[in-house]
Amino acid sequence: MAVSLQVLYPVGPETSFDYDYYAKTHMALVAEHMGPHAVSVQAVKGLAGGPDTPPEFYAVATMVFENQEKLQAASAAAGPVTADIPNYTNTKPQLLIGEVIG
């Protein structure tokens, strides 16, 4: 069964997010360390939370894995990826691990 890992970066009153660093440097680290275990890796920049509503998240990264074992292997390799987070944001990422159903 395919599983996904989503990393959500919530907007907060005292938070910031460097999109340029995230897209160019951080996602390259994700590709290097976690990517070999993934079926796909994608990141999206939050633009809105609805009509005339600011986004609740700066960005959401989604990684899909063939199975739980591949996710565990990617997680074991993620040290440099998680250590890099303070270089582009001071918000606390939220994680969602799920079964791909569609």
Side-chain angles (χ1 to χ4, degrees):
M1 135 188 71
V3 295
S4 70
L5 168 64
Q6 292 183 295
V7 184
L8 301 89
Y9 298 92
V11 173
E14 301 290 324
T15 61
S16 61
F17 196 93
D18 183 339
Y19 290 105
D20 189 52
Y21 183 96
Y22 179 72
K24 293 178 181 170
T25 304
H26 184 73
M27 290 308 294
L29 285 173
V30 171
E32 177 184 351
H33 297 283
M34 300 176 77
H37 307 285
V39 172
S40 66
V41 177
Q42 180 182 36
V44 298
K45 177 181 179 179
L47 298 178
D52 301 319
T53 305
E56 293 184 36
F57 298 95
Y58 290 109
V60 177
T62 302
M63 293 165 263
V64 176
F65 303 91
E66 279 182 34
N67 52 46
Q68 188 70 30
E69 291 77 25
K70 296 278 189 174
L71 170 60
Q72 290 170 342
S75 296
V81 175
T82 56
D84 187 54
I85 294 171
N87 291 323
Y88 61 90
T89 189
N90 61 347
T91 195
K92 183 178 183 212
Q94 298 175 2
L95 301 180
L96 174 64
I97 298 170
E99 177 182 347
V100 177
I101 60 172

